[in-house]
Amino acid sequence: MANIPISDSEAQQDTGSEQLEKIALNEARSPSSNVWVFDENDPLVLECGASLAPIKVAYETYGTLNSDKSNAILICHALTGDQYVASENPVTGKPGWWTTMVGSGKPVDTDRFFVICSNVLGGCLGTTGPVSINPETGTAFATSLPVITIRDMVAAQAKLITALGIDKLFSIVGGSMGGMQVLQWAASYPDRVHSVVMIASGARHTSQNIAFHEVGRQAVMADPQWHGGNYLEQNVAPRKGLAVARMAAHITYMSGESLQSKFGRNLQDRDKVTFGFEADFQIESYLRHQGMTFVERFDANSYLYVTRAMDYFDLAEDYNGKLANAFMGTKTRFCLISFTTDWLFPTDESRSIVHALNAARASVSFVEIASDRGHDAFLLEEPDMFATIRGFLKSAERTLVRTDTSK
Amino acid sequence: MSTINNTAIHDQRIDHQAISDLIADNCSVLDVGCGDGGLLDLLEKRTNIHCRGIELSQSGVSQSVSRGLSVIQGDADRDLVYYPDNAFDYVILSQTIQAMNRPREVLQHLLRIGDKIIVSLPNFGHWKVRKHLLLKGQMPVTEHLPYSWYDTPNIHFCTIRDFVNLCDELDAKIEQAIALNASGHRIGFRAPWWFWNVFGEQAIFLLTSR
């Protein structure tokens, strides 16, 4: 009776999962999206001091760039997101991860804006990451890849934007880890961003945030199939560890309220508990499913790298501990959105950024939206969020015109 | 500082135009307790006025941002401390001071943050209010002060004379003062304070630090 968690239905899913994992590995090395390659002569100097070249940046675009190149919006994805913001994910076959926000007639309207979304550095859907082949060894980087930071991710994006011939982005929009990139962009390249939208995010990872990530990483590394990171060579993967990491993380994306109302103490396909360790409760079954499907599309080492990047993020630290210094004299327009039940990036994190922006005399809008859906709210149907972003982008467009005529 | 709608006439508060008249073009403005952004919207349409707002209610902020204004959700009682000195040419507190927990501290911050301060307030010394209290013996509920005592956001009412005294205490200079009667018309500038205090339904002050 005493099943090891996750293993109940693993046997029957194995063939399908492995096939998906193969597709995922293939997409990581030769993605079906656009790829920009920066060669050996164009290295990226990372925050840790190492130099990385060549690098690949995989990206998708939507809509048309206008003649004066003033309508480009960069979307920054979250921890396990990818460049397929509004188009089908080639691994899962599912629609883009933010089709409520990006598309024809949506708040980020692809009829009017040229939308770019790239896979982050350290990711696993085509941009250079631990799955990529290290040209020096001919095998996957695995854990020999230098540690990547949010600033490095943004530096890679900036290279892509330059390569695409765009001097200044009309806007950058991102939630969660995407929001961290948004802030880093505004701090590192103030003259290259007209406006930014940061949703459900913060200027640093808190102790609690780091703690949850560490649990996830330890789960991955404790899996014997991890093999010190060199599992690809052995043709295996630390599936159980990564699934547990995802399960733990998934809890942090939802509010206690929404878990309770969605699952309560409901039992899964049974009338009474089994007095064993099967997934008796719906919430257990749900989390196991989340863990299993995640493993099919995401690389375990990539998960280590990207969570680490978030943990290292503390924007104020780069500016003598004073966040306002990061934005002094900025002309960028900021819009910040938080959600009442988000306990992963609570409103106070946004509010402290707002205070810093006020101190820096920056133009800022901020709203805390009432939602019972926790951190995940930013990916869901939240009409107030959409209305806010529509209004903000509209006014940002007006000021763009104003700046242009004053030249 | 929730969206307080004490004085709506034809969808536009009667104090908005009077406040706008006090503000010169080409300046920066912070509206503390900006509600749905009505006043800021009026100002934004003028020449080169850079507008910002703070509002407590989500609905007010959402409406403001949706109409394209830079407004943050915040609490003046708590958040004004984060603004640098002399950050704005004008700071406006319109129909909001009576809803503050600590109106005196808020006013001090406004004088620090703005070069010029504009405060509009409902006058609790108006004759209708006095009549209500004197004859009925109840907290006044009038057309322009529509809340009952138990659910009102207006927790610190004052009269025009009270406010003038507070300005003295804080060493704020009253550069200009306007009283509006019930129909939104201005009361003669030469009228004495006591007359304003009885017949002014609301008052608008333009202050500077001494």
Side-chain angles (χ1 to χ4, degrees):
Chain A
M1 277 301 273
N3 286 321
I4 300 162
I6 329 242
S7 63
D8 309 18
S9 45
E10 196 176 39
Q12 69 239 30
Q13 288 211 357
D14 244 13
T15 12
S17 308
E18 270 173 22
Q19 214 149 23
L20 280 179
E21 281 171 37
K22 261 179 213 142
I23 298 172
L25 184 62
N26 194 45
E27 283 293 331
R29 289 183 177 161
S30 42
S32 43
S33 67
N34 304 305
V35 181
W36 202 285
V37 181
F38 300 93
D39 64 19
E40 298 77 11
N41 305 317
D42 193 5
L44 186 67
V45 179
L46 303 173
E47 203 175 334
C48 66
S51 186
L52 199 59
I55 59 166
K56 282 197 233 172
V57 179
Y59 66 100
E60 285 279 273
T61 67
Y62 311 86
T64 315
L65 187 63
N66 61 12
S67 56
D68 59 356
K69 300 179 177 179
S70 64
N71 71 333
I73 297 184
L74 176 69
I75 304 288
C76 296
H77 70 71
L79 174 58
T80 69
D82 47 55
Q83 65 271 41
Y84 302 100
V85 57
S87 45
E88 187 181 286
N89 182 303
V91 181
T92 62
K94 287 183 180 161
W97 54 270
W98 217 5
T99 49
T100 49
M101 183 67 79
V102 181
S104 173
K106 298 290 162 61
V108 178
D109 191 348
T110 50
D111 295 340
R112 294 189 297 130
F113 298 116
F114 178 61
V115 178
I116 307 152
C117 184
S118 65
N119 188 213
V120 293
L121 198 63
C124 55
L125 246 101
T127 296
T128 299
V131 185
S132 308
I133 301 292
N134 179 352
E136 284 172 20
T137 62
T139 56
F141 275 107
T143 53
S144 73
L145 185 77
V147 164
I148 304 294
T149 64
I150 298 290
R151 208 209 286 176
D152 297 333
M153 291 175 179
V154 166
Q157 288 162 358
K159 279 171 96 81
L160 173 68
I161 298 305
T162 306
L164 294 174
I166 298 163
D167 286 337
K168 188 169 189 173
L169 290 162
F170 168 67
S171 196
I172 310 181
V173 184
S176 197
M177 186 181 84
M180 292 175 163
Q181 296 161 59
V182 163
L183 282 189
Q184 185 69 62
W185 258 99
S188 297
Y189 310 99
D191 299 332
R192 299 194 65 184
V193 255
H194 176 66
S195 66
V196 293
V197 181
M198 185 202 92
I199 312 166
S201 190
R204 57 173 192 168
H205 230 206
T206 64
S207 191
Q208 192 185 38
N209 296 147
I210 297 168
F212 275 108
H213 274 176
E214 176 59 2
V215 169
R217 283 190 297 265
Q218 286 301 326
V220 169
M221 294 189 282
D223 189 326
Q225 304 282 51
W226 184 58
H227 293 289
N230 297 314
Y231 48 88
L232 286 176
E233 280 173 34
Q234 320 261 343
N235 225 0
V236 291
R239 297 193 184 100
K240 286 175 187 166
L242 184 59
V244 170
R246 178 62 168 180
M247 289 166 77
H250 201 86
I251 301 166
T252 68
Y253 303 150
M254 300 174 76
S255 67
E257 224 173 314
S258 63
L259 278 183
Q260 195 60 32
S261 68
K262 200 166 171 185
F263 305 106
R265 294 182 51 81
N266 300 340
L267 299 179
Q268 178 71 26
D269 304 327
R270 62 203 71 189
D271 300 327
K272 46 183 189 285
V273 296
T274 59
F275 294 96
F277 297 100
E278 285 176 28
D280 279 354
F281 294 99
Q282 275 180 12
I283 178 62
E284 293 175 304
S285 169
Y286 171 78
L287 283 181
R288 288 182 191 195
H289 175 76
Q290 291 297 327
M292 307 249 316
T293 50
F294 180 62
V295 168
E296 291 162 0
R297 69 173 179 93
F298 212 86
D299 174 63
N301 285 336
S302 199
Y303 194 79
L304 303 184
Y305 275 87
V306 182
T307 54
R308 204 65 182 142
M310 290 179 78
D311 290 351
Y312 279 178
F313 188 62
D314 180 4
L315 190 56
E317 198 187 45
D318 296 344
Y319 296 87
N320 297 322
K322 219 172 162 215
L323 190 57
N325 292 342
F327 307 115
M328 240 9 126
T330 185
K331 291 197 174 66
T332 304
R333 296 167 66 89
F334 291 77
C335 178
L336 278 69
I337 297 173
S338 70
F339 297 96
T340 47
T341 53
D342 182 354
W343 55 278
L344 194 61
F345 289 96
T347 293
D348 274 351
E349 294 296 314
S350 290
R351 199 174 281 131
S352 66
I353 301 167
V354 171
H355 291 156
L357 288 166
N358 283 337
R361 299 166 200 248
S363 166
V364 52
S365 296
F366 162 60
V367 62
E368 179 191 37
I369 291 172
S371 164
D372 61 358
R373 296 192 277 195
H375 183 62
D376 259 353
F378 87 91
L379 292 168
L380 303 172
E381 191 70 39
E382 289 286 350
D384 281 345
M385 170 175 71
F386 299 146
T388 301
I389 292 173
R390 274 182 207 277
F392 175 74
L393 292 178
K394 203 165 53 182
S395 73
E397 262 182 300
R398 275 208 303 271
T399 54
L400 193 67
V401 173
R402 201 188 272 177
T403 331
D404 279 358
T405 49
S406 67
K407 264 176 200 167
Chain B
M1 206 179 51
S2 54
T3 308
I4 299 162
N5 198 12
N6 288 333
T7 53
I9 288 181
H10 304 306
D11 290 328
Q12 192 187 314
R13 291 203 338 217
I14 54 174
D15 56 332
H16 283 179
Q17 191 54 52
I19 291 173
S20 178
D21 292 346
L22 290 172
I23 296 173
D25 285 342
N26 308 307
C27 67
S28 60
V29 173
L30 174 67
D31 186 359
V32 178
C34 65
D36 65 3
L39 174 58
L40 288 177
D41 207 35
L42 193 67
L43 294 172
E44 277 258 326
K45 293 194 174 86
R46 292 182 39 194
T47 312
N48 201 23
I49 298 185
H50 296 279
C51 295
R52 306 281 165 74
I54 312 179
E55 168 60 27
L56 190 61
S57 72
Q58 186 211 307
S59 63
V61 179
S62 290
Q63 287 175 66
S64 299
V65 179
S66 301
R67 66 208 286 180
L69 299 165
S70 288
V71 170
I72 63 163
Q73 195 167 2
D75 183 346
D77 276 316
R78 196 184 53 197
D79 294 332
L80 289 176
V81 62
Y82 298 100
Y83 287 89
D85 296 353
N86 307 311
F88 294 90
D89 295 319
Y90 296 87
V91 180
I92 302 167
L93 192 65
S94 127
Q95 298 284 328
T96 303
I97 196 165
Q98 76 283 353
M100 298 288 161
N101 278 322
R102 293 187 298 275
R104 192 177 189 275
E105 282 76 3
V106 166
L107 200 56
Q108 275 175 317
H109 272 302
L110 299 189
L111 289 162
R112 177 184 67 77
I113 296 166
D115 293 341
K116 294 193 173 76
I117 311 305
I118 297 170
V119 179
S120 80
L121 50 96
N123 176 24
F124 215 64
H126 187 257
W127 66 269
K128 275 189 197 164
V129 173
R130 296 181 191 220
K131 185 184 119 189
H132 208 110
L133 200 57
L134 190 70
L135 298 183
K136 291 192 179 172
Q138 292 171 339
M139 285 301 280
V141 177
T142 69
E143 187 190 342
H144 294 316
L145 301 171
Y147 299 99
S148 294
W149 65 272
Y150 45 80
D151 63 1
T152 181
N154 304 318
I155 53 174
H156 279 127
F157 273 123
C158 66
T159 67
I160 289 178
R161 195 179 282 275
D162 287 331
F163 186 76
V164 169
N165 291 343
L166 179 62
C167 291
D168 274 348
E169 241 181 82
L170 295 178
D171 220 13
K173 188 178 171 208
I174 298 174
E175 302 278 350
Q176 223 177 315
I178 300 160
L180 303 175
N181 67 19
S183 48
H185 293 118
R186 294 179 186 211
I187 293 178
F189 185 68
R190 284 161 190 279
W193 280 126
W194 72 262
F195 187 84
W196 283 34
N197 207 23
V198 175
F199 294 103
E201 185 108 50
Q202 50 181 317
I204 301 167
F205 293 89
L206 178 69
L207 313 173
T208 54
S209 313
R210 245 188 253 271

